[in-house]
Amino acid sequence: MPERGHSGPQRRPARRPAGAARAGVGGQESGGAELTGDFSLNAANVLTTRALLDLGLSRLTPTHDLNAQQITELAGLVGGQHLEVIAYGHLPVFHTEHCVFCRFLSSGTDYTNCGHPCETHRVALRDERGHTHPVMADVGCRNTVFEGRPQVAAPHLGEWQRAGIRDLRLEFVHETPQQVTGVIEAHRAFLAGALSAAGLQDTLDALSARAGVTEGSLFVPHDFGTLDALPVL
Protein backbone atom coordinates (compact mmCIF):
# COMPACT_ATOMS: atom_id res chain seq x y z
CA MET A 1 0.00 0.00 0.00
CA PRO A 2 1.17 3.56 -0.59
CA GLU A 3 2.97 5.21 2.29
CA ARG A 4 1.17 7.88 4.30
CA GLY A 5 2.09 9.93 7.33
CA HIS A 6 2.48 7.65 10.33
CA SER A 7 4.55 6.96 13.40
CA GLY A 8 5.16 3.28 12.72
CA PRO A 9 8.27 1.53 11.38
CA GLN A 10 9.89 2.86 8.23
CA ARG A 11 10.59 0.40 5.42
CA ARG A 12 12.04 2.24 2.46
CA PRO A 13 14.25 1.18 -0.46
CA ALA A 14 17.91 1.97 -0.09
CA ARG A 15 17.85 4.14 -3.22
CA ARG A 16 15.09 6.30 -4.62
CA PRO A 17 13.64 4.76 -7.82
CA ALA A 18 13.64 6.67 -11.09
CA GLY A 19 9.85 6.93 -10.84
CA ALA A 20 7.74 6.75 -7.73
CA ALA A 21 4.08 6.65 -6.78
CA ARG A 22 2.79 9.29 -4.40
CA ALA A 23 -0.22 8.93 -2.13
CA GLY A 24 0.16 12.54 -0.93
CA VAL A 25 1.77 15.45 -2.74
CA GLY A 26 1.47 18.40 -0.38
CA GLY A 27 4.88 20.00 0.11
CA GLN A 28 6.68 17.17 -1.68
CA GLU A 29 9.67 17.84 -3.92
CA SER A 30 10.29 15.42 -6.76
CA GLY A 31 14.06 15.82 -6.79
CA GLY A 32 13.96 15.30 -10.56
CA ALA A 33 12.10 11.99 -10.27
CA GLU A 34 8.99 11.31 -12.32
CA LEU A 35 6.03 11.18 -9.93
CA THR A 36 2.78 9.30 -10.48
CA GLY A 37 -0.19 10.13 -8.26
CA ASP A 38 -1.79 7.07 -6.69
CA PHE A 39 -5.51 6.23 -6.77
CA SER A 40 -5.74 7.22 -3.08
CA LEU A 41 -5.51 10.89 -4.13
CA ASN A 42 -9.16 10.41 -5.18
CA ALA A 43 -8.94 12.01 -8.62
CA ALA A 44 -12.59 11.50 -9.55
CA ASN A 45 -13.18 14.48 -11.84
CA VAL A 46 -11.43 16.82 -14.22
CA LEU A 47 -11.01 19.62 -11.68
CA THR A 48 -9.20 17.45 -9.13
CA THR A 49 -7.13 15.77 -11.82
CA ARG A 50 -5.97 19.07 -13.31
CA ALA A 51 -5.17 20.48 -9.87
CA LEU A 52 -3.03 17.46 -8.97
CA LEU A 53 -1.21 17.47 -12.31
CA ASP A 54 -0.50 21.18 -11.84
CA LEU A 55 1.35 20.29 -8.63
CA GLY A 56 3.98 18.52 -10.73
CA LEU A 57 2.74 14.97 -11.20
CA SER A 58 3.63 13.35 -14.52
CA ARG A 59 0.71 10.95 -14.44
CA LEU A 60 -2.23 10.21 -12.20
CA THR A 61 -4.15 7.03 -11.44
CA PRO A 62 -7.91 7.70 -11.31
CA THR A 63 -9.86 6.74 -8.20
CA HIS A 64 -11.66 3.40 -8.08
CA ASP A 65 -14.94 5.35 -7.90
CA LEU A 66 -14.86 5.84 -11.68
CA ASN A 67 -16.20 3.24 -14.08
CA ALA A 68 -14.50 2.48 -17.41
CA GLN A 69 -16.53 5.02 -19.39
CA GLN A 70 -15.81 7.78 -16.91
CA ILE A 71 -12.08 7.03 -17.15
CA THR A 72 -12.33 7.30 -20.94
CA GLU A 73 -14.12 10.64 -20.62
CA LEU A 74 -11.54 11.89 -18.12
CA ALA A 75 -8.75 10.98 -20.55
CA GLY A 76 -10.48 13.06 -23.22
CA LEU A 77 -10.55 16.08 -20.89
CA VAL A 78 -7.03 15.99 -19.42
CA GLY A 79 -5.17 13.96 -22.07
CA GLY A 80 -4.73 10.22 -21.95
CA GLN A 81 -0.97 10.59 -21.60
CA HIS A 82 -1.54 11.98 -18.10
CA LEU A 83 -3.38 8.92 -16.81
CA GLU A 84 -1.97 5.63 -15.51
CA VAL A 85 -4.92 3.29 -15.19
CA ILE A 86 -5.14 0.04 -13.26
CA ALA A 87 -5.69 -2.73 -15.81
CA TYR A 88 -5.36 -5.57 -13.28
CA GLY A 89 -5.62 -5.46 -9.52
CA HIS A 90 -7.58 -6.30 -6.41
CA LEU A 91 -10.00 -3.68 -5.18
CA PRO A 92 -9.22 -2.52 -1.61
CA VAL A 93 -12.54 -2.93 0.19
CA PHE A 94 -11.75 -2.35 3.87
CA HIS A 95 -9.09 -0.53 5.89
CA THR A 96 -8.47 -0.89 9.61
CA GLU A 97 -5.95 0.35 12.17
CA HIS A 98 -6.27 -3.07 13.86
CA CYS A 99 -3.48 -5.44 12.83
CA VAL A 100 -4.68 -9.01 12.52
CA PHE A 101 -1.09 -10.19 12.02
CA CYS A 102 -0.06 -8.84 15.41
CA ARG A 103 -3.25 -10.05 17.09
CA PHE A 104 -3.30 -13.65 15.86
CA LEU A 105 0.29 -14.42 14.82
CA SER A 106 2.28 -12.98 17.72
CA SER A 107 2.16 -12.45 21.45
CA GLY A 108 3.09 -8.79 21.06
CA THR A 109 0.92 -5.71 21.23
CA ASP A 110 2.38 -3.42 18.53
CA TYR A 111 5.19 -3.13 15.97
CA THR A 112 7.83 -2.76 18.68
CA ASN A 113 7.32 -6.28 20.02
CA CYS A 114 5.21 -8.26 17.52
CA GLY A 115 8.16 -9.63 15.55
CA HIS A 116 6.63 -8.39 12.26
CA PRO A 117 4.77 -11.59 11.26
CA CYS A 118 3.32 -9.64 8.31
CA GLU A 119 6.71 -10.00 6.62
CA THR A 120 6.70 -13.79 6.70
CA HIS A 121 3.02 -14.85 6.72
CA ARG A 122 0.02 -14.53 4.46
CA VAL A 123 -3.44 -13.86 5.88
CA ALA A 124 -6.83 -13.93 4.15
CA LEU A 125 -10.44 -13.71 5.29
CA ARG A 126 -12.94 -16.33 4.11
CA ASP A 127 -16.50 -15.13 3.51
CA GLU A 128 -19.75 -17.08 3.79
CA ARG A 129 -19.44 -18.24 0.18
CA GLY A 130 -16.01 -19.72 0.76
CA HIS A 131 -14.15 -16.97 -1.14
CA THR A 132 -10.87 -15.77 0.37
CA HIS A 133 -9.90 -12.11 0.49
CA PRO A 134 -6.22 -11.18 1.04
CA VAL A 135 -5.21 -9.05 4.01
CA MET A 136 -2.10 -6.91 3.64
CA ALA A 137 -0.27 -4.75 6.19
CA ASP A 138 1.22 -1.42 5.11
CA VAL A 139 4.27 0.39 6.51
CA GLY A 140 2.09 2.05 9.16
CA CYS A 141 0.80 -1.34 10.40
CA ARG A 142 -2.67 -0.60 9.04
CA ASN A 143 -4.40 -3.58 7.42
CA THR A 144 -6.28 -3.59 4.13
CA VAL A 145 -8.66 -6.30 2.99
CA PHE A 146 -8.69 -6.78 -0.78
CA GLU A 147 -11.37 -8.30 -2.99
CA GLY A 148 -10.31 -11.88 -3.63
CA ARG A 149 -11.07 -11.80 -7.34
CA PRO A 150 -8.80 -9.61 -9.47
CA GLN A 151 -10.52 -6.72 -11.22
CA VAL A 152 -9.59 -6.70 -14.91
CA ALA A 153 -10.03 -4.04 -17.57
CA ALA A 154 -9.61 -6.23 -20.64
CA PRO A 155 -12.98 -5.31 -22.25
CA HIS A 156 -12.13 -1.60 -21.98
CA LEU A 157 -8.47 -1.46 -22.97
CA GLY A 158 -9.17 -0.79 -26.64
CA GLU A 159 -11.38 2.18 -25.80
CA TRP A 160 -8.79 3.50 -23.37
CA GLN A 161 -6.08 3.24 -26.00
CA ARG A 162 -8.20 5.20 -28.45
CA ALA A 163 -8.58 7.86 -25.76
CA GLY A 164 -4.80 8.22 -25.64
CA ILE A 165 -4.07 6.17 -22.52
CA ARG A 166 -0.70 4.46 -22.86
CA ASP A 167 0.30 3.61 -19.29
CA LEU A 168 -1.24 0.61 -17.56
CA ARG A 169 -0.71 -0.54 -14.01
CA LEU A 170 -0.80 -4.16 -12.84
CA GLU A 171 -1.15 -4.65 -9.08
CA PHE A 172 -0.72 -7.93 -7.23
CA VAL A 173 -1.42 -9.19 -3.71
CA HIS A 174 -1.21 -12.96 -3.13
CA GLU A 175 -0.56 -14.09 -6.71
CA THR A 176 2.06 -16.78 -7.25
CA PRO A 177 5.19 -16.01 -9.29
CA GLN A 178 3.67 -18.00 -12.15
CA GLN A 179 0.46 -15.97 -12.04
CA VAL A 180 2.39 -12.68 -11.97
CA THR A 181 4.41 -13.75 -14.99
CA GLY A 182 1.29 -14.92 -16.82
CA VAL A 183 -0.59 -11.67 -16.21
CA ILE A 184 2.33 -9.54 -17.37
CA GLU A 185 2.95 -11.63 -20.49
CA ALA A 186 -0.76 -11.61 -21.40
CA HIS A 187 -0.94 -7.81 -21.24
CA ARG A 188 2.29 -7.51 -23.24
CA ALA A 189 0.79 -9.78 -25.90
CA PHE A 190 -2.34 -7.62 -26.02
CA LEU A 191 -0.34 -4.40 -26.35
CA ALA A 192 1.75 -5.99 -29.11
CA GLY A 193 -1.39 -6.94 -31.02
CA ALA A 194 -0.80 -10.67 -30.57
CA LEU A 195 -3.82 -11.17 -28.29
CA SER A 196 -7.35 -9.81 -28.57
CA ALA A 197 -9.25 -8.22 -25.68
CA ALA A 198 -11.41 -11.35 -25.48
CA GLY A 199 -8.31 -13.52 -25.50
CA LEU A 200 -6.78 -11.42 -22.74
CA GLN A 201 -9.95 -11.77 -20.68
CA ASP A 202 -9.95 -15.56 -21.13
CA THR A 203 -6.26 -15.80 -20.23
CA LEU A 204 -6.68 -13.78 -17.04
CA ASP A 205 -9.74 -15.81 -16.09
CA ALA A 206 -7.76 -19.03 -16.55
CA LEU A 207 -4.89 -17.70 -14.45
CA SER A 208 -7.33 -17.07 -11.62
CA ALA A 209 -9.31 -20.27 -12.15
CA ARG A 210 -10.14 -20.84 -8.50
CA ALA A 211 -11.66 -17.40 -7.84
CA GLY A 212 -12.28 -16.05 -11.34
CA VAL A 213 -12.07 -12.39 -12.27
CA THR A 214 -14.46 -9.46 -12.02
CA GLU A 215 -15.13 -6.20 -13.84
CA GLY A 216 -15.74 -4.66 -10.43
CA SER A 217 -15.91 -0.89 -10.24
CA LEU A 218 -15.17 -0.60 -13.97
CA PHE A 219 -18.63 -1.96 -14.83
CA VAL A 220 -20.71 0.45 -16.92
CA PRO A 221 -24.51 0.08 -16.45
CA HIS A 222 -26.49 -0.20 -19.68
CA ASP A 223 -28.39 3.02 -18.90
CA PHE A 224 -25.35 4.97 -17.68
CA GLY A 225 -25.35 7.24 -20.74
CA THR A 226 -28.88 8.45 -19.95
CA LEU A 227 -27.83 10.12 -16.70
CA ASP A 228 -27.55 13.89 -16.70
CA ALA A 229 -23.94 15.03 -16.99
CA LEU A 230 -22.52 17.67 -14.71
CA PRO A 231 -21.14 20.78 -16.45
CA VAL A 232 -17.37 20.94 -16.97
CA LEU A 233 -15.76 24.25 -16.00
Side-chain angles (χ1 to χ4, degrees):
M1 292 296 294
E3 180 179 341
R4 301 176 186 172
H6 60 83
S7 57
Q10 303 288 317
R11 304 170 197 156
R12 294 194 176 97
R15 294 184 298 173
R16 187 183 186 89
R22 280 290 186 193
V25 295
Q28 299 288 347
E29 296 293 336
S30 69
E34 184 178 86
L35 298 181
T36 299
D38 199 58
F39 71 86
S40 55
L41 291 176
N42 291 324
N45 56 55
V46 63
L47 298 180
T48 304
T49 303
R50 286 173 177 168
L52 291 169
L53 290 171
D54 286 345
L55 290 175
L57 295 177
S58 299
R59 293 185 302 276
L60 187 61
T61 297
T63 175
H64 286 298
D65 294 321
L66 299 185
N67 64 35
Q69 181 177 326
Q70 290 172 311
I71 292 175
T72 300
E73 294 171 353
L74 182 62
L77 293 170
V78 303
Q81 73 276 15
H82 295 305
L83 298 184
E84 180 176 299
V85 296
I86 300 174
Y88 176 99
H90 296 259
L91 195 68
V93 295
F94 182 76
H95 300 282
T96 177
E97 295 286 341
H98 175 71
C99 182
V100 298
F101 293 88
C102 178
R103 171 63 179 83
F104 295 105
L105 295 175
S106 83
S107 57
T109 56
D110 58 33
Y111 71 91
T112 63
N113 56 22
C114 70
H116 306 158
C118 59
E119 297 179 351
T120 55
H121 292 76
R122 286 186 173 183
V123 169
L125 299 180
R126 181 177 291 109
D127 63 23
E128 69 280 2
R129 297 169 297 176
H131 298 159
T132 57
H133 304 276
V135 180
M136 306 284 284
D138 67 14
V139 292
C141 297
R142 294 171 296 265
N143 286 189
T144 299
V145 181
F146 292 86
E147 161 64 45
R149 296 170 299 169
Q151 176 174 296
V152 302
H156 309 289
L157 292 182
E159 185 177 1
W160 286 353
Q161 287 181 310
R162 290 188 290 274
I165 295 175
R166 295 294 179 266
D167 295 283
L168 304 180
R169 181 184 294 194
L170 309 177
E171 298 189 340
F172 305 94
V173 284
H174 283 181
E175 280 85 351
T176 66
Q178 293 76 18
Q179 287 173 316
V180 171
T181 299
V183 170
I184 294 173
E185 290 181 345
H187 281 87
R188 283 178 171 169
F190 171 81
L191 295 174
L195 189 65
S196 67
L200 175 60
Q201 177 80 22
D202 291 341
T203 300
L204 297 178
D205 194 49
L207 287 168
S208 185
R210 178 175 298 180
V213 299
T214 179
E215 195 175 3
S217 62
L218 298 175
F219 173 73
V220 181
H222 71 278
D223 58 348
F224 182 75
T226 65
L227 301 176
D228 292 334
L230 295 176
V232 177
L233 301 179

